[in-house]
Amino acid sequence: MLRSSLRIPAAGCAFLVTAAVSSAVLCSGPGEYADVAVISGARAGPGTAAARVIAHRGASRDAPENTLAAVDAAHRRGLIWVENDVQRSRDGRLVVLHDATLERTTDAAKVFPGRAPWRVGDFTAAEIARLDAGSWFGGRFAGERVPTLAAYLRRLERNGQRLLLEIKAPEKYPGIEAQVLRELRTAGWLDRAHVRGRLVVQSFSVRCVRTVHERAPQVRTGILGAPRARLLARYARFADQINPPASAIGSGWLAAVHRLRGPHGRPVEVYVWGVAKNTTTRSIRVRGADGVIE
């Protein structure tokens, strides 16, 4: 997902809520800021507190995005939820990386100079594991690796964290929905506790989200983007969330979404992204969205 800055003073506390989980108070140390995504199970209103937080690609202001270091940085801040992006290597392994290519967040151009444009799906898992995914962010992260999804899930489990998982560009990776679900099941993430309160799977691809729901109807899902109002009722059959860019929010559209109930019988939620730099989380909630992905 595209990124813009949203800094929330972490010296304050926020409440993290999902549809099936009780509120938990999250606090960080004085003077810190959280680079965040948001997930909640409550409707916004003028009297509500500031938005709930989840670390976007991990605590990616403190550590290189989508790495285990970013997961741990979020954990140290007391952030329970993290968001990541999942793609597939040439030999069929699931890896956690946002971009379509390896160039921006690894040293692939140096290690494999003749293989531009360094598309993720053109490299084996072993080749990706050779890459430095930390030095671009800062010297102290030199040697940080692109994690496999399996390693990422183990780290979340160790830390007691929760996951908003985005399947990236599924049209490039036929069958990735079933593969992601198999990996989640193998890691124990499709049991009752995880699917009710620790996992959401989202994608920009409506077909992908529908496939995830058909294969694992117990899993909560989200569609990224701003579908036309006439399509919302159809999508609510298999999506618990509709997550648009902030620029697409209008009171009529939000009202249309909130009138619907998702596949698990609860009102469909809206989490916005692409928030303007100076927008506060409180103002987003007052406008009617359930949360922010930033």
Side-chain angles (χ1 to χ4, degrees), residues 27-221:
C27 303
S28 298
E32 293 185 344
Y33 287 81
D35 199 20
V36 302
V38 174
I39 207 163
S40 78
R43 289 282 174 260
T48 57
R52 287 83 170 178
V53 299
I54 185 173
H56 183 219
R57 305 179 201 168
S60 52
R61 189 174 296 278
D62 300 326
E65 64 182 61
N66 273 328
T67 62
L68 300 185
V71 173
D72 290 341
H75 179 60
R76 287 192 296 272
R77 285 192 168 193
L79 298 173
I80 297 175
W81 281 89
V82 299
E83 181 264 356
N84 75 358
D85 308 279
V86 176
Q87 302 189 57
R88 187 164 66 200
S89 68
R90 190 179 74 189
D91 56 341
R93 296 287 300 282
L94 296 176
V95 294
V96 179
L97 197 91
H98 175 269
D99 293 5
T101 73
L102 296 158
E103 184 177 13
R104 180 178 65 87
T105 58
T106 77
D107 60 347
K110 177 181 178 181
V111 178
F112 301 106
R115 294 177 64 180
W118 304 285
R119 286 184 290 264
V120 175
D122 291 342
F123 289 78
T124 66
E127 290 171 332
I128 293 172
R130 291 175 54 190
L131 302 176
D132 180 346
S135 290
W136 69 274
F137 188 88
R140 69 190 182 96
F141 294 103
E144 191 70 26
R145 302 303 176 189
V146 175
T148 62
L149 178 58
Y152 201 95
L153 293 171
R154 286 194 296 271
R155 184 60 58 89
L156 291 174
E157 195 66 34
R158 187 194 77 176
N159 292 347
Q161 290 167 290
R162 304 169 187 176
L163 178 61
L164 175 61
L165 184 156
E166 180 182 342
I167 299 177
K168 297 294 291 187
E171 66 280 359
K172 296 180 182 178
Y173 309 113
I176 192 172
E177 301 90 348
Q179 186 177 3
V180 166
L181 290 170
R182 283 196 300 272
E183 196 126 322
L184 289 167
R185 183 174 289 108
T186 297
W189 276 70
L190 294 189
D191 65 13
R192 182 177 177 85
H194 285 81
V195 299
R196 291 194 65 191
R198 295 186 62 186
L199 176 67
V200 178
V201 177
Q202 65 176 0
S203 180
F204 280 98
S205 167
V206 172
R207 179 178 295 180
C208 171
V209 175
R210 182 172 57 238
T211 298
V212 170
H213 175 71
E214 289 172 349
R215 288 182 170 270
Q218 73 274 30
V219 173
R220 289 181 296 155
T221 57

